[in-house]
Amino acid sequence: MSTSPARRPLPHGPLADGRVSVFTAGEACRKCYSCVRSCPTKAIVVRAGQADVDPDRCISCGQCVLMCSQSAKRVRSSLEEVRGLLASGRPCHAMIAPSFPAAFIDMEPGRLAGAVAACGFRTVHEVAFGADLVSHAYHRRYAAIAPDQPFVISTPCPAVVSCVEKIYPELVPHLADVCSPMEAMARVVRRLAAGPAGAGRAGAGHTSTAAVAGPESARPAVVFIGPCVGKKDEARRTDTVDAVLTFDELTELFAASGVDPAAAAPRPFDPPTAGLGRIYPVTGGLLKSAGIASDVMESPVLIVEGSDRVMELLDVLGRLVREGKPVRTRLFDLLFCDGCIAGPAMPNDLSFYERKKYVVGYIDREPRYLGVEEWAAANTRWLDLDLSVSFTPMAVAEPPVPEEDIRAILARTGKVRPEDELNCRACGYASCRDKAIAVHRGIAEVEMCLPYLISRLEDAISSIKENQERLIQAEKLASMGQMAAGIAHEINNPLGVVLMYAHLLQEELGDGAPPRAREDAERIAREAARTRTIVQGILNFAREEKVDRRPTDINALLGDSLAGARSLDAEGRIRVETDLDASMPSFRVDPRQLRQVFDNVIRNAIEVMPGGGTLGVVSRGLAGAFTVQVTDTGPGIPEDLLPKLFTPFVTTKPVGRGTGLGLSVCYGIVKMHGGSITASNRPGGGACFEITIREPAERAT
Ligand code: ADP
């Protein structure tokens, strides 16, 4: 049928119960919070990452349904309900909202009426006539509101009405006492359906009972068809409208009823014929058809459309009313969408201007419209219809949240100082404070903070990187160790033989041998001994020993190491400064291995101070962990050596003096103890080695 631009049909679904017409299809929700961001009344409750609709705050404006890319937010479908009505044998009457020319752009109005009738409706009306009646009532009551009378908020838009009732209850007395065009038209239809006898009985407010008495099976059914989700909620609160179909659902109804709209026999809409009320879905339509002027400069009338602007205005009005301050504007014409032609259930992607063109084009094609007074004169038989309506404040009281609770919640996402509150709105709330309040009320979750999640992610990534580097290093050392151990093992035996024969040769040569031969034999023995030291170092580095933990006095271990190192400073050039933590408890470590670490680090420190200096040894320990620092006043560690200091064979000592294995062995031992060893240069000169070892949790006493 229609070739209007493709648009994702508004997702509909069955909703067994619920006070509002928007709901979440849980399995489709993907934690993007776009519904929280788009919801003007913050009626989305996020629990365990699942965004549900809070019926106490939802005004069924449909914004979340439009914004949800996953179709997790859906509109209650009334298709089966309407099919049931049509099949029930009850006389069914359809009323189409005045935005239809912008919705079904390829279909003549007469053909649309014919297609709807072909589904089984007895009559097909234009809601625009209800709009004419409403406009006339506004003209009479509100064209000139005296300054001493309360200001008035228009009520055709169900989202505006719900918003006032649920969020700004102090404004309820200011809602216009005139029902919506849908309700007015339903009362017209019911009066017509009741025939002359029922005339004058139709029409009542939200709390009315059935307009036409009689057995349920004979009671006329009235179905509204339009671009609005909120109308579904409005209809539930009245007895005049039985069901509301969106334009998408009407298309589904055609298909389900086997009706091809393109082949439907055209027919006119059923009377009464609509007038200027057809302009209702376009900005300022109500005022235009009510003959109420709105002057930008100083009008007592203000038109406000769009959810953001409407919410901002209601916020201001609510505050002024609570504070008892005057409001100069007399009549506020409010629509939650940019006119009903921008309603959430419009079935195409046409621009606002194109839609307006289609609506105005339809009006222009019809007989010339009348001004409000001429219209009234031509429709006197309808002027007595009761258009009254009542509204109920329904706001749920929310106690204020204590300041310290807000601060505590903010702190959970690292917001301690005012500048930490980025107010980025990614969570859907206008400020970090608003979100903290929502967390306190149990409708939002701490994890909804994007900057907080990003910083946690960055931390996680850097710790993964760190661990990766450590792993690579450990793997390198392990494989190098294995290879080295293999080589060392192979060399060890022939080396022992070389050494033994070198000593034998020395003995055999005796004192009478030529000096050259004695020197050669001596050199062979010396170099073989040196090689054995290297091989021993390699085997130490590569050994796969287990840590044999036992309660150890760390200070005593350090004392033994220092005593053993005394021989390295035979001339007494080194001053030893110790600062050992006397209150340090004993720790479960492998004393033999740890002694090796202390010996190595202390020996290195003494060796880098051949001309004398100060060796510092500090220990600190609390239950569970201890740290030992060994400092010297030597030349410090060359900067280029620092990153690879604990790698095997890194040495600056001359050949024969160092193997470059000492620190890598220390590293392996400390790691096996689950600790860390770091090297740094001290600001005042010299190096500092710090060893920290944490005891495993299952500490035995
Ligand atoms: P080695 O002592 O056999 O060279 P180590 O692994 O113990 O092997 O040390 C590696 C290198 O680290 C040393 O050659 C030296 O250059 C550097 N180094 C170790 N301790 C110190 C220190 N306290 N001050 C400056 N450099 C040091």
Side-chain angles (χ1 to χ4, degrees):
M1 45 166 277
S2 170
T3 55
S4 55
R7 166 191 153 274
R8 182 178 67 109
L10 210 61
H12 290 75
L15 174 65
D17 196 18
R19 282 173 286 153
V20 289
S21 298
V22 176
F23 66 100
T24 305
E27 71 284 357
C29 179
R30 299 281 299 276
K31 297 187 184 181
C32 71
Y33 310 130
S34 74
C35 53
V36 183
R37 281 191 289 282
S38 63
C39 179
T41 59
K42 293 293 162 267
I44 304 291
V45 179
V46 180
R47 281 196 199 109
Q50 174 83 56
D52 277 327
V53 177
D54 173 7
D56 287 334
R57 292 185 72 89
C58 177
I59 57 173
S60 291
C61 65
Q63 298 280 331
C64 59
V65 187
L66 285 177
M67 294 311 293
C68 180
S69 61
Q70 301 303 307
S71 299
K73 290 283 173 292
R74 296 183 189 168
V75 175
R76 182 172 68 96
S77 172
S78 306
L79 182 65
E80 290 313 314
E81 207 181 328
V82 171
R83 292 186 72 196
L85 289 172
L86 290 167
S88 69
R90 285 170 63 183
C92 294
H93 304 274
M95 331 185 285
I96 302 193
S99 50
F100 76 83
F104 298 98
I105 58 172
D106 297 334
M107 228 190 301
E108 279 302 310
R111 199 173 290 283
L112 177 65
V116 173
C119 292
F121 288 100
R122 194 169 285 190
T123 60
V124 184
H125 300 270
E126 282 185 85
V127 173
F129 183 78
D132 284 329
L133 283 166
V134 169
S135 293
H136 181 251
Y138 272 81
H139 176 75
R140 276 220 210 127
R141 295 180 207 191
Y142 306 126
I145 314 171
D148 58 336
Q149 281 180 286
F151 66 86
V152 170
I153 297 170
S154 67
T155 55
C157 174
V160 168
V161 170
S162 282
C163 190
V164 169
E165 288 182 317
K166 292 183 176 181
I167 313 295
Y168 300 101
E170 61 276 21
L171 296 177
V172 166
H174 295 272
L175 287 170
D177 178 29
V178 180
C179 68
S180 71
M182 173 183 85
E183 177 66 20
M185 194 61 206
R187 293 178 192 180
V188 168
V189 172
R190 291 201 176 277
R191 185 195 271 190
L192 286 170
R201 289 167 60 187
H206 275 167
T207 51
S208 73
T209 51
V212 179
E216 186 62 20
S217 59
R219 188 174 175 268
V222 177
V223 175
F224 172 89
I225 302 161
C228 184
V229 176
K231 286 288 175 202
K232 286 178 183 271
D233 284 6
E234 184 187 336
R236 292 173 133 205
R237 298 171 60 189
T238 76
D239 279 330
T240 38
V241 179
D242 293 271
V244 168
L245 290 180
T246 60
F247 286 137
D248 283 327
E249 287 171 285
L250 176 62
T251 305
E252 286 177 35
L253 180 65
F254 289 150
S257 311
V259 172
D260 176 5
R267 74 196 290 281
F269 284 110
D270 287 282
T273 305
L276 198 48
R278 285 173 178 156
I279 196 66
Y280 243 69
V282 176
T283 303
L286 184 158
L287 300 181
K288 172 78 180 158
S289 57
I292 299 174
S294 154
D295 182 329
V296 171
M297 290 295 286
E298 52 162 332
S299 172
V301 178
L302 187 67
I303 301 171
V304 178
E305 293 183 338
S307 60
D308 286 353
R309 288 183 295 273
V310 167
M311 288 306 290
E312 190 183 20
L313 177 77
L314 291 178
D315 220 51
V316 171
L317 288 180
R319 205 172 55 240
L320 291 175
V321 167
R322 283 196 302 277
E323 292 170 0
K325 295 203 172 130
V327 176
R328 282 184 59 205
T329 304
R330 305 287 71 213
L331 173 60
F332 293 93
D333 182 18
L334 308 187
L335 288 178
F336 227 75
C337 304
D338 285 327
C340 304
I341 52 169
M346 285 296 283
N348 56 43
D349 275 336
L350 292 181
S351 70
F352 172 81
Y353 303 99
E354 285 170 301
R355 287 175 179 168
K356 180 177 171 188
K357 187 185 75 188
Y358 281 107
V359 171
V360 172
Y362 172 54
I363 296 170
D364 282 346
R365 283 201 306 280
E366 294 297 304
R368 229 190 73 74
Y369 61 80
L370 306 170
V372 65
E373 296 293 0
E374 294 160 277
W375 176 89
N379 288 283
T380 48
R381 71 169 280 216
W382 293 105
L383 299 184
D384 66 332
L385 192 77
D386 176 15
L387 297 181
S388 64
V389 67
S390 61
F391 302 104
T392 321
M394 292 189 281
V396 175
E398 283 168 346
V401 179
E403 184 62 27
E404 62 266 30
D405 289 4
I406 296 177
R407 285 191 186 290
I409 293 169
L410 285 170
R412 282 167 66 191
T413 50
K415 296 168 189 26
V416 184
R417 301 159 305 165
E419 58 266 35
D420 296 333
E421 295 173 35
L422 302 182
N423 301 327
C424 69
R425 294 172 177 240
C427 60
Y429 288 87
S431 67
C432 298
R433 275 184 72 83
D434 284 0
K435 190 225 155 196
I437 291 170
V439 170
H440 190 274
R441 293 194 169 133
I443 62 170
E445 291 179 329
V446 171
E447 292 74 20
M448 287 163 68
C449 178
L450 192 63
Y452 166 68
L453 285 187
I454 290 173
S455 77
R456 265 183 48 182
L457 198 66
E458 283 170 349
D459 287 352
I461 289 171
S462 76
S463 118
I464 287 171
K465 270 190 189 156
E466 226 170 78
N467 285 337
Q468 243 174 356
E469 275 163 22
R470 271 198 211 131
L471 207 65
I472 291 168
Q473 178 75 357
E475 274 173 8
K476 262 196 213 162
L477 289 181
S479 58
M480 221 189 266
Q482 271 172 7
M483 194 183 76
I487 296 170
H489 191 74
E490 289 303 314
I491 291 173
N492 221 16
N493 291 340
L495 194 62
V497 176
V498 170
L499 200 57
M500 190 181 77
Y501 279 97
H503 285 144
L504 279 177
L505 196 61
Q506 275 178 302
E507 278 172 26
E508 275 170 23
L509 283 172
D511 291 341
R516 176 79 192 268
R518 278 210 320 269
E519 266 172 38
D520 287 352
E522 226 178 85
R523 176 165 295 169
I524 292 170
R526 198 170 59 239
E527 291 302 313
R530 191 167 76 81
T531 311
R532 193 176 53 180
T533 312
I534 295 172
V535 168
Q536 196 54 50
I538 293 171
L539 286 171
N540 275 347
F541 166 71
R543 74 180 150 204
E544 289 178 1
E545 269 183 284
K546 291 225 159 44
V547 178
D548 181 14
R549 287 182 189 272
R550 56 189 66 187
T552 305
D553 180 342
I554 302 299
N555 288 340
L557 211 57
L558 282 169
D560 292 347
S561 271
L562 284 169
R566 232 173 264 146
S567 62
L568 298 171
D569 177 35
E571 292 167 31
R573 290 184 181 158
I574 307 284
R575 210 157 66 88
V576 179
E577 283 182 2
T578 53
D579 175 7
L580 306 183
D581 183 353
S583 63
M584 192 152 73
S586 74
F587 287 89
R588 290 183 60 80
V589 294
D590 184 326
R592 201 175 54 79
Q593 291 187 12
L594 216 60
R595 168 79 194 268
Q596 199 181 336
V597 173
F598 294 157
D599 282 354
N600 200 91
V601 174
I602 289 172
R603 190 179 55 244
N604 277 346
I606 293 173
E607 282 178 0
V608 293
M609 299 185 287
T614 305
L615 168 71
V617 178
V618 178
S619 70
R620 291 286 179 270
L622 286 170
F626 70 87
T627 297
V628 169
Q629 273 184 357
V630 176
T631 56
D632 60 63
T633 52
I637 304 157
E639 285 299 320
D640 59 331
L641 211 64
L642 267 174
K644 51 184 180 185
L645 200 63
F646 297 99
T647 314
F649 306 115
V650 169
T651 180
T652 54
K653 291 175 190 168
V655 178
R657 295 282 308 279
T659 58
L661 282 169
L663 286 179
S664 55
V665 170
C666 294
Y667 182 87
I669 291 173
V670 172
K671 281 290 150 190
M672 279 197 294
H673 277 79
S676 65
I677 176 167
T678 57
S680 58
N681 284 322
R682 302 163 74 206
C688 171
F689 282 78
E690 187 171 297
I691 299 141
T692 300
I693 290 183
R694 223 165 279 280
E695 270 188 321
E698 71 282 7
R699 177 190 165 121
T701 49

